[in-house]
Amino acid sequence: MPESSETATERYRLRPETVVTDRGEGPAIVFAHGTLMDRTMYDPQIDALSDDYRAVAYDLRARTDQYATEYDLYDLADDVDALTDALDIDTFVLCGMSMGGFMTLRFAERYLEQLSGIVLIDAIAEPHTDEEREQYRQMAAQIRADGAFADHLIDVAKNQLFGATTLEENPELVEHWVERWRTYPPEGFYREMHSWLDRPDFTDELSAIDVPVLSVHGVEDVSLEPERTESMLDALPDARQELIPEAGHSSNTENPEAATAAIRSFLEDVY
């Protein structure tokens, strides 16, 4: 691991309190956000679940002072290991949205003994298509070169991250995130996207992940359509899916009641 990435992992071990929301007692669930999001995307789940569980949401590297380091999904998995070690969490359910879900699968490959279960929110095991990768690559390069998020790229991100119902009926939620995006360092976005952009297909590794898995997926997800989870669900030894109505790629924030109910039911089965 390059020194810069090693330093980034150690900041999770040595300064966890600066990057986490940690509430409740009992069996633990740790939440990892997706690209362009931050740990506050899980506020509805933290509020609802912390009565019965220890609910921990944390900021991944792009939202920390280590945003400019070069890293991949396995480095992000090592960050979770360092963070949970610092928080004295031995075993837990790891919940990851999109990029956080891609990372969660790699964490399971490397640290399976720590997991009681997995929740994947709008995530897949297959890679993105060549066309998608090229589009994302151009987007990241332009934002990096401009030093800002241009309005037309904001519009692209809005339509990728939120479903049609949210865009039409809950514009306040969308604008809340747009305002946050404008404060994120473009270099952080560039590094964040490149942590997962060229990831290989993970389907062949799934058979070794022998813990319960819940896939939560927005019906209106146009970034990663629900049918793209089918090969993953077939390959995992113990997996089920809950489709979230009136929600897109950020399904747990768009329809938090339905997503939280699915996660709670899963936790009751796991624990």
Side-chain angles (χ1 to χ4, degrees):
M1 197 184 332
E3 183 175 290
S4 60
S5 193
E6 195 171 298
T7 300
T9 293
E10 284 307 294
R11 71 96 63 233
Y12 284 96
R13 194 183 310 278
L14 299 175
R15 292 188 283 145
E17 70 283 354
T18 65
V19 295
V20 300
T21 300
D22 183 356
R23 285 172 48 191
E25 297 179 353
I29 179 168
V30 177
F31 294 96
H33 62 78
T35 297
L36 277 177
M37 309 303 274
D38 59 45
R39 72 180 189 260
T40 65
M41 73 171 297
Y42 290 113
D43 283 353
Q45 285 73 48
I46 298 287
D47 290 343
L49 297 173
S50 56
D51 286 348
D52 297 309
Y53 301 95
R54 183 177 181 183
V56 176
Y58 75 101
D59 285 332
L60 278 71
R61 290 192 191 187
R63 303 284 87 81
T64 75
D65 53 2
Q66 299 296 317
Y67 67 85
T69 58
E70 183 177 349
Y71 56 92
D72 62 19
L73 292 168
Y74 287 101
D75 294 321
L76 295 179
D78 291 341
D79 294 347
V80 177
D81 175 58
L83 176 71
T84 52
D85 180 51
L87 297 177
D88 294 321
I89 299 174
D90 295 326
T91 57
F92 54 97
V93 168
L94 182 56
C95 173
M97 175 262 181
S98 193
M99 172 186 70
F102 309 153
M103 178 279 296
T104 293
L105 292 175
R106 275 78 181 171
F107 183 91
E109 180 186 26
R110 187 168 281 187
Y111 300 104
L112 186 63
E113 70 282 355
Q114 298 183 35
L115 291 176
S116 300
I118 289 170
V119 179
L120 302 170
I121 299 178
D122 297 281
I124 63 174
E126 299 173 357
H128 279 77
T129 66
D130 290 343
E131 181 181 1
E132 288 170 332
R133 285 199 294 265
E134 184 57 30
Q135 290 173 345
Y136 284 132
R137 207 183 316 279
Q138 291 179 11
M139 181 180 184
Q142 182 173 344
I143 290 171
R144 188 190 206 189
D146 293 346
F149 291 80
D151 287 343
H152 74 281
L153 295 178
I154 290 284
D155 288 339
V156 171
K158 286 162 57 173
N159 285 285
Q160 288 289 306
L161 280 162
F162 300 103
T165 300
T166 299
L167 292 168
E168 181 176 346
E169 299 181 7
N170 195 359
E172 295 85 0
L173 177 66
V174 178
E175 288 309 307
H176 165 81
W177 283 102
V178 168
E179 290 174 3
R180 296 175 90 88
W181 298 343
R182 295 190 190 279
T183 71
Y184 293 157
E187 181 69 16
F189 171 71
Y190 180 89
R191 297 291 186 182
E192 184 174 51
M193 182 166 282
H194 281 271
S195 72
W196 54 260
L197 189 58
D198 294 312
R199 72 192 186 285
D201 192 345
F202 200 74
T203 307
D204 288 347
E205 284 71 34
L206 296 175
S207 62
I209 301 177
D210 58 350
V211 297
V213 178
L214 170 66
S215 168
V216 174
H217 215 98
V219 172
E220 300 175 2
D221 189 347
V222 297
S223 180
L224 296 174
E225 296 86 354
E227 55 266 27
R228 296 173 73 172
T229 64
E230 291 174 3
S231 61
M232 175 180 73
L233 296 170
D234 288 343
L236 285 163
D238 181 6
R240 69 179 194 246
Q241 184 171 69
E242 290 287 341
L243 294 177
I244 306 301
E246 301 182 338
H249 192 58
S250 306
S251 59
N252 71 291
T253 67
E254 297 176 74
N255 191 341
E257 295 82 6
T260 302
I263 295 170
R264 182 183 293 280
S265 177
F266 178 74
L267 291 175
E268 289 171 351
D269 289 344
V270 167
Y271 287 126

